Amino acid sequence: MMAGGNVRFLVLILAVAICGAASVFQPISDSHRSAALDVFVPVDGSYKSLEEAYEALKTLEILGIDKKSDLSSKTCENVVKVLQSSSSTLKDAFYALNVNGILKCKIGEAGPKDIVSQLQAGVKDAKLLLDFYYSVRGLVLAKEQFPGTHISLGDAEAIFRSIKSLSQSDGRWRYSSNNPESSTFAAGLAYETLAGVISLAPSEFDPSLIQSVKTGILKLSDSIQKYDDGTFYFDEKSVDASQGPISTTASVIRGLTSFAASESTGLNLPGDKIVGLAKFFLGVGIPGDAKDFFNQIDALACLEDNKFSVPLILSLPSTVISLTKKEPLKVKVSTVLGSKAPALSVKLTQALSSKSVDSSVINNQELKFDADSATYFLDSFPKNFDIGKYTFVFKIVLDESAHEKVYITEAQTKVPIAATGAISIENAEIAVLDSDIGSVESQKKLDLTKDGAVSLSANHLQKLRLSFQLTTPLGNAFKPHQAFFKLKHESQVEHIFLDFLGLVEKLYYLSGKYEIQLTIGDASMENSLLSNIGHIELDLPERPEKATRPPLQSTEPYSRYGPKAEISHIFRIPEKLPAKQLSLVFLGVIVLPFIGFLIGLTRLGVNIKSFPSSTGSAISALLFHCGIGAVLLLYVLFWLKLDLFTTLKALSLLGVFLLFVGHRTLSQLASASNKLKSA
């Protein structure tokens, strides 16, 4: 039987794994600015709500896009209407002040006083966290926008304690005192609110209050989640499922940066978590949802301007280096929003090959700096730097020690790099071998860089051998990611092989002329090829009766990729339901036995005279009956909405409870019965 021959250089499918912790993060760029114009599209010059208007205007302002003139007219009308109305909600007033801070709308003289009075009343009457948030943060905005208006909280410490009472031991917060569930998203709102209370306080706070909040922040940071690439983020555990990781993390960042901005807090966070949070939002890419887009940009803006440390991000314009073109390695360092970084140096500490992660090809190489393009580059590589996949490890060192208190960087930044080049293809030949002794019957040299006209013939008792050598620019053996050997019969039946076992059956016993095609490809191979080698005339045995027949070939070779035939299906007509009266009669028949059961109880003279009279025994009996009722209720809930696992979990707890109180009740009844008999 004809089969594949021995190959001098065995071509395998090689899956090369790059270090899982290596990722590339890019700062905010023009692509975000372009996408923002598509995401935040007003309708007839305005947005549906002031909340949407604020999120759009704030995002565009951070990105440096001026759209105020296009939106100011109608949006300012809505702002003035809300601020001058005594019936406006705290939420509407809060977002109206946010929008006004951006658009600078013309508010009447009475407007500031009315809205301040409304917000102060909101603080006084607030019970829910959101009411505290909207009213306190609204007063902070009013104080910034209306300098002539005196705004302060005389009972700031009492308000602070009221808000603090909603905190939990794990650092999360509740939305109200009546709701036992806590939320990470609510923690961010709480820290923003407390920061506002501190800024509106007429005097300094009790340091113990500030310290208690800082302790809660440290506990909250313990719940932060982490990816393998050093990315940190917050997420909800149970309550408020509408908040995802993006909105939750953004809320916490806004809260922490606001709280840290208060001079009296002295809050500080670990640098690795600040960088990790920045990497989380940069790793999101460009969100398609307007809310997520706003949360991403606003959170990054908070990290860009905070009292902890400003994170610096190392990015690469390209992670592919062409050794053929002798391209340099280029690196940029900037803030998360793409602002210029301070004076620093970048070192390439290691270049680890995916083939040998224990040894580094490059060690402690400092990159040169181009001031015109603000780019660090490495224009030459060592002689042993070959094509392949690497993990480059960079280190950023600030030139001035004073900048270390302002900026923060990763200890090490790992980036996946692909080095590409032209692969040499040598010693290519194709041969037909005798199956028994392996002697060469016919052999031809090949030039795989161009199409050939090789003509061969063979039968099912012979073997076909295709061999070639692939080497890198440094002369090392190269294993491509993919290599396909393809035979195409003159009837257009195609066969793609990675091996040649059972070749006769795969060829459907079709004798005749076959075109030979070889495909070699790899991400590191700049000269991947698709070579038409020639043809081979095969003489195969006749097809057995039960052998698989070749599939029918379409006259249009690309029709297989076209639209498929439409599938029509008619659903079964629903069966006719019985009349409503019949259903009611059936329900009555089901209820009748229960009514008979109740009548039987009265006939038998059932009573509760034996119900224990002593306090302890009565409580046990009452708990036992309540437990039975709870089991019956659980069955009803299982029928209505609970799943099996939840039901079994609750039933196991109730079973243990019933076992305890039931045994106690029966023991007391037996003891009472024995006393009566002995008497």
Side-chain angles (χ1 to χ4, degrees):
M1 184 183 71
M2 182 177 179
N6 296 322
V7 182
R8 294 177 186 171
F9 183 87
L10 182 61
V11 181
L12 301 173
I13 294 180
L14 182 64
V16 182
I18 300 179
C19 177
S23 301
V24 181
F25 298 92
Q26 302 290 345
I28 299 301
S29 60
D30 290 337
S31 58
H32 277 81
R33 296 178 180 87
S34 177
L37 295 175
D38 296 330
V39 173
F40 299 100
V41 180
V43 179
D44 297 330
S46 63
Y47 294 93
K48 294 181 181 179
S49 65
L50 288 174
E51 180 180 1
E52 290 187 11
Y54 165 67
E55 291 175 353
L57 289 168
K58 183 67 174 178
T59 304
L60 296 175
E61 182 183 52
I62 294 172
L63 295 176
I65 302 173
D66 187 8
K67 285 288 181 180
K68 298 178 184 178
S69 58
D70 301 338
L71 302 169
S72 58
S73 179
K74 288 188 177 181
T75 306
C76 276
E77 289 180 9
N78 295 332
V79 170
V80 173
K81 182 179 179 181
V82 170
L83 295 182
Q84 291 183 350
S85 174
S86 59
S87 60
S88 299
T89 63
L90 293 174
K91 181 179 179 180
D92 288 340
F94 169 73
Y95 283 110
L97 288 168
N98 272 300
V99 173
N100 183 60
I102 299 173
L103 296 181
K104 311 298 181 186
C105 301
K106 296 180 180 179
I107 311 296
E109 294 183 359
K113 295 181 180 179
D114 294 340
I115 197 64
V116 168
S117 300
Q118 184 179 351
L119 292 171
Q120 287 177 332
V123 176
K124 184 178 180 180
D125 300 334
K127 300 295 182 184
L128 306 178
L129 177 60
L130 286 175
D131 291 341
F132 279 115
Y133 175 75
Y134 291 133
S135 55
V136 171
R137 296 306 301 179
L139 288 173
V140 173
L141 293 170
K143 184 177 181 180
E144 295 173 354
Q145 296 173 25
F146 312 125
T149 306
H150 177 70
I151 301 175
S152 66
L153 296 175
D155 52 350
E157 281 203 11
I159 297 171
F160 194 100
R161 294 180 188 276
S162 298
I163 301 171
K164 183 65 176 62
S165 65
L166 298 175
S167 64
Q168 297 287 80
S169 59
D170 59 356
R172 296 188 297 162
W173 293 63
R174 295 172 295 163
Y175 284 102
S176 69
S177 57
N178 297 327
N179 186 1
E181 300 241 18
S182 54
S183 164
T184 306
F185 182 88
L189 300 180
Y191 296 138
E192 269 195 276
T193 308
L194 295 177
V197 174
I198 294 173
S199 64
L200 296 173
S203 58
E204 292 188 2
F205 266 77
D206 181 358
S208 62
L209 288 176
I210 304 296
Q211 185 59 42
S212 64
V213 176
K214 291 169 66 176
T215 302
I217 291 175
L218 294 177
K219 291 181 179 178
L220 180 66
S221 64
D222 292 338
S223 66
I224 197 170
Q225 301 186 49
K226 181 182 180 181
Y227 289 125
D228 292 338
D229 58 1
T231 298
F232 289 95
Y233 69 99
F234 290 93
D235 200 3
E236 292 290 6
K237 292 184 178 179
S238 56
V239 75
D240 202 0
S242 62
Q243 305 297 341
I246 294 178
S247 58
T248 301
T249 308
S251 174
V252 174
I253 289 177
R254 279 192 289 265
L256 295 182
T257 52
S258 297
F259 192 76
S262 303
E263 296 181 0
S264 58
T265 59
L267 180 65
N268 196 9
L269 286 181
D272 62 330
K273 292 186 177 180
I274 297 174
V275 176
L277 291 170
K279 288 169 63 177
F280 169 73
F281 284 105
L282 294 177
V284 170
I286 301 177
D289 179 71
K291 177 72 74 172
D292 287 342
F293 203 124
F294 161 73
N295 282 321
Q296 179 197 41
I297 301 301
D298 187 49
L300 290 174
C302 291
L303 292 174
E304 178 113 340
D305 182 20
N306 68 79
K307 294 292 184 179
F308 315 127
S309 296
V310 178
L312 295 178
I313 300 298
L314 183 144
S315 60
L316 278 74
S318 175
T319 57
V320 179
I321 301 172
S322 174
L323 299 183
T324 304
K325 299 177 182 178
K326 296 183 179 180
E327 294 176 339
L329 171 68
K330 295 182 179 180
V331 174
K332 288 191 174 183
V333 180
S334 65
T335 63
V336 291
L337 295 181
S339 301
K340 185 179 179 181
L344 52 83
S345 60
V346 178
K347 287 185 179 181
L348 177 56
T349 59
Q350 286 181 312
L352 303 173
S353 173
S354 59
K355 299 177 182 178
S356 178
V357 295
D358 296 330
S359 60
S360 177
V361 181
I362 304 174
N363 293 291
N364 296 321
Q365 180 70 49
E366 185 169 344
L367 276 62
K368 301 176 183 178
F369 180 66
D370 180 20
D372 295 335
S373 60
T375 303
Y376 299 84
F377 64 94
L378 181 65
D379 54 0
S380 62
F381 295 91
K383 294 181 179 180
N384 61 338
F385 186 74
D386 205 354
I387 68 170
K389 297 180 180 179
Y390 296 86
T391 298
F392 279 15
V393 183
F394 296 95
K395 183 178 181 181
I396 301 174
V397 180
L398 297 169
D399 290 350
E400 299 182 15
S401 58
H403 288 157
E404 295 179 0
K405 298 180 179 179
V406 181
Y407 298 95
I408 188 67
T409 64
E410 281 189 291
Q412 289 183 334
T413 303
K414 296 181 179 180
V415 179
I417 297 291
T420 64
I423 299 299
S424 299
I425 306 173
E426 301 171 343
N427 302 328
E429 61 183 29
I430 188 169
V432 176
L433 307 178
D434 184 73
S435 179
D436 295 330
I437 59 177
S439 60
V440 177
E441 182 173 308
S442 62
Q443 180 174 323
K444 303 219 175 154
K445 297 287 185 181
L446 300 176
D447 184 2
L448 297 179
T449 59
K450 57 184 179 181
D451 291 343
V454 173
S455 178
L456 299 170
S457 62
N459 58 42
H460 66 287
L461 299 176
Q462 294 175 313
K463 294 181 180 180
L464 178 67
R465 183 181 71 189
L466 173 65
S467 60
F468 52 88
Q469 273 186 313
L470 302 180
T471 55
T472 67
L474 295 185
N476 298 320
F478 179 76
K479 294 182 180 180
H481 182 68
Q482 289 183 328
F484 296 106
F485 182 79
K486 179 178 177 181
L487 294 178
K488 183 176 181 181
H489 191 256
E490 54 191 353
S491 63
Q492 304 303 311
V493 177
E494 297 180 357
H495 310 271
I496 298 177
F497 301 104
L498 292 174
D499 60 66
F500 302 105
L501 295 176
L503 189 59
V504 173
E505 294 180 0
K506 292 183 178 179
L507 294 176
Y508 304 110
Y509 297 88
L510 291 175
S511 299
K513 184 179 179 180
Y514 285 81
E515 294 181 5
I516 306 173
Q517 191 178 78
L518 178 66
T519 303
I520 302 175
D522 192 277
S524 302
M525 186 177 178
E526 295 180 359
N527 56 334
S528 297
L529 60 88
L530 173 62
S531 177
N532 294 308
I533 297 175
H535 70 273
I536 183 171
E537 193 80 25
L538 293 181
D539 182 14
L540 303 180
E542 293 185 5
R543 181 175 62 250
E545 294 183 3
K546 297 183 179 181
T548 305
R549 292 182 175 273
L552 296 176
Q553 301 299 309
S554 174
T555 55
E556 294 292 334
Y558 296 104
S559 62
R560 70 178 72 174
Y561 308 113
K564 302 300 180 183
E566 182 177 348
I567 300 175
S568 300
H569 177 70
I570 300 176
F571 289 95
R572 185 180 65 181
I573 299 175
E575 297 179 2
K576 188 177 180 181
L577 298 176
K580 182 179 180 181
Q581 293 78 5
L582 181 60
S583 299
L584 293 175
V585 171
F586 182 73
L587 177 63
V589 172
I590 293 175
V591 175
L592 278 176
F594 180 70
I595 297 175
F597 171 72
L598 296 178
I599 295 174
L601 291 178
T602 58
R603 293 284 186 180
L604 293 172
V606 175
N607 55 65
I608 58 172
K609 293 180 179 179
S610 297
F611 197 86
S613 57
S614 62
T615 305
S617 300
I619 292 176
S620 298
L622 185 62
L623 290 175
F624 178 67
H625 286 81
C626 289
I628 295 175
V631 172
L632 296 176
L633 178 61
L634 182 63
Y635 289 159
V636 174
L637 292 176
F638 171 65
W639 179 263
L640 295 176
K641 65 176 183 178
L642 293 182
D643 57 77
L644 179 61
F645 294 104
T646 305
T647 304
L648 290 176
K649 187 188 296 183
L651 189 61
S652 62
L653 297 176
L654 285 173
V656 174
F657 173 76
L658 282 172
L659 179 64
F660 174 74
V661 297
H663 179 270
R664 185 179 178 86
T665 300
L666 293 175
S667 298
Q668 291 169 346
L669 288 175
S671 176
S673 177
N674 291 333
K675 290 180 179 180
L676 289 174
K677 290 179 180 180
S678 61

